[in-house]
Amino acid sequence: MTMTLPQRRLGGNGPYVSAIGLGCMGMSDFYGQRDEAESLATIAHALDRGLNFLDTADMYGPYTNEELVGRAIKGRRHQAFIATKFGIVRDPNNPAARGFNGRPEYVRASVEGSLKRLGVDHIDLYYQHRVDRSVPIEETVGAMADLVRAGKVRWLGLSEASAATLERAHKVHPIAALQSEYSLWTRDVDESGALAMCRKLGVTLVAYSPLGRGFLAGAFKSPADFDADDYRRHSPRFQGENFARNLALVAKVEAMATSRGCTPAQLALAWVLAQGEDIVPIPGTKRRKYLDENIGALTVKLGADELAALDAVFPAGAVAGLRYPEAMMSGVNG
Ligand SMILES: NC(=O)c1ccc[n+]([C@@H]2O[C@H](COP(=O)([O-])OP(=O)(O)OC[C@H]3O[C@@H](n4cnc5c(N)ncnc54)[C@H](OP(=O)(O)O)[C@@H]3O)[C@@H](O)[C@H]2O)c1
């Protein structure tokens, strides 16, 4: 039986989605061991619980994550709201390298691949994954708008775009969502003005990595907790001295969660949810157990005093280390 969850709206006059989404990336890439059966069961369980907002991208895998989501929604397409992305180009010979492509012909070719892998006739929300600074945003979004007119895509989004880029894009075609990293330990959209621009334009912020890639959930106590091929081993916040300093911050979140009667993951998600009705976090997990726990965050309502207390123990800028390896930072706020 499908249940309902609180909903939030994408864009000023856009569609309603569950107030928490499900990030599917880690099911296929970046976060160590894969378990396809449990991943499929997690997506099915999400839909059963009324969590319909599923997040993937062509570069996760690459490609295999869209295929996995496609298998999971087979026969249940009408229950799912599928968001996918194009624009990050990976080099099979160098998995760490990233290129960005926002050329119109690339947009047109990419959507066909995503539709096929997902096994759908339209994508609900199509994002440019990273701004390609060598192509005017008007050209990229113009090509994306053509996809809307062709019925291949319903709504448009950008990921990690700056306030200025978002404003230019929105003039070409309404942008329903900006997907950027946002959590207790990543407040860049507050500081850069991107969230303020979202609010000016009526664009919803889809908050990715709202659990700090799992760190804020308190599940990791040492860099050795990660598999050898786990991306986080190479991420500055998860290394050496940074890891230790960040662990001390999370210990305070854990203590607050204990006294509040919730888990640290729920507290971290409740903080994101409390920043505004126009924000939708998409925590990632490949397990039904964590999914249920994360949905439980919807009932953790933080009052002004609790939010202030949380901000006091984990203030903006307190985190140690960049959120991406140096070379990848040039891709954000584009
Ligand atoms: N636009 C972009 O550039 C971009 C970048 C990164 C991510 N994303 C999207 O955002 C989604 C979410 O971000 P994310 O996956 O990077 O980070 P996240 O949601 O902050 O954290 C995911 C990690 O937290 C763990 N976790 C989840 N719930 C937990 C709980 N209740 N207790 C303990 N641990 C828990 C997961 O473990 P298990 O995996 O073991 O379940 C996983 O290791 C991704 O799946 C992806 O779709 C987008």
Side-chain angles (χ1 to χ4, degrees):
M1 190 184 69
T2 302
M3 292 182 275
T4 54
L5 289 181
Q7 310 275 300
R8 288 189 173 186
R9 198 168 199 180
L10 296 184
N13 59 357
Y16 286 89
V17 294
S18 52
I20 277 191
L22 173 60
C24 298
M25 177 184 84
M27 296 175 179
S28 308
D29 213 351
F30 302 117
Y31 293 165
Q33 266 194 345
R34 287 165 279 283
D35 179 343
E36 175 154 326
E38 181 60 18
S39 294
L40 290 171
T42 301
I43 296 175
H45 188 56
L47 297 178
D48 289 344
R49 292 215 49 192
L51 189 159
N52 66 346
F53 189 25
L54 306 179
D55 192 80
T56 179
D58 59 4
M59 68 84 82
Y60 301 158
Y63 309 126
T64 52
N65 194 237
E66 286 186 331
E67 289 165 357
L68 178 85
V69 172
R71 280 198 294 285
I73 61 165
K74 210 159 188 246
R76 308 185 71 171
R77 171 70 183 97
H78 60 290
Q79 291 176 292
F81 188 95
I82 306 291
T84 192
K85 321 182 192 78
F86 72 92
I88 299 183
V89 187
R90 292 174 75 178
D91 177 354
N93 300 317
N94 180 5
R98 300 280 183 275
F100 305 135
N101 194 337
R103 288 197 296 275
E105 61 274 21
Y106 185 79
V107 177
R108 288 190 287 273
S110 296
V111 79
E112 297 305 332
S114 289
L115 288 167
K116 196 157 170 247
R117 287 185 291 274
L118 288 160
V120 298
D121 64 5
H122 73 274
I123 291 160
D124 296 301
L125 174 59
Y126 200 40
Y127 294 100
Q128 182 185 23
H129 208 157
R130 288 289 183 277
V131 173
D132 178 350
R133 295 175 205 257
S134 71
V135 178
I137 192 66
E138 289 79 4
E139 285 183 26
T140 305
V141 175
M144 293 167 74
D146 287 341
L147 302 180
V148 177
R149 286 186 279 272
K152 297 179 183 193
V153 164
R154 292 276 192 271
W155 305 93
L156 300 185
L158 302 178
S159 178
E160 292 287 359
S162 67
T165 302
L166 180 60
E167 188 169 38
R168 282 169 57 191
H170 200 72
K171 284 186 185 142
V172 178
H173 188 279
I175 301 297
L178 174 70
Q179 181 175 138
S180 291
E181 183 169 352
Y182 193 50
S183 68
L184 273 172
W185 81 356
T186 299
R187 320 270 187 103
D188 299 32
V189 293
D190 287 331
E191 290 146 22
S192 69
L195 181 54
M197 181 58 74
C198 282
R199 290 185 164 149
K200 180 176 161 199
L201 301 173
V203 174
T204 295
L205 178 71
V206 172
Y208 81 73
S209 302
L211 296 170
R213 300 182 185 266
F215 199 89
L216 299 170
F220 304 115
K221 300 297 177 206
S222 147
D225 289 344
F226 300 112
D227 291 344
D229 64 346
D230 194 307
Y231 155 79
R232 291 168 290 200
R233 276 188 179 255
H234 311 286
S235 180
R237 291 184 180 176
F238 293 83
Q239 286 176 33
E241 176 64 15
N242 288 345
F243 194 106
R245 282 171 55 193
N246 293 329
L247 201 58
L249 290 167
V250 169
K252 297 180 189 171
V253 177
E254 287 180 285
M256 275 187 71
T258 304
S259 65
R260 181 79 175 54
C262 66
T263 68
Q266 289 173 333
L267 195 58
L269 291 174
W271 180 89
V272 175
L273 288 162
Q275 303 309 307
E277 281 290 313
D278 54 354
I279 300 179
V280 180
I282 50 166
T285 181
K286 41 194 168 197
R287 310 163 203 227
R288 284 167 287 182
K289 180 174 165 278
Y290 286 167
L291 178 80
D292 282 332
E293 183 181 327
N294 297 343
I295 289 174
L298 290 167
T299 59
V300 179
K301 307 279 184 208
L302 300 177
D305 51 337
E306 290 173 303
L307 284 168
L310 202 42
D311 275 329
V313 301
F314 210 133
V319 69
L322 292 172
R323 62 190 175 104
Y324 280 107
E326 188 87 50
M328 286 165 75
M329 285 301 290
S330 61
V332 302
N333 203 29

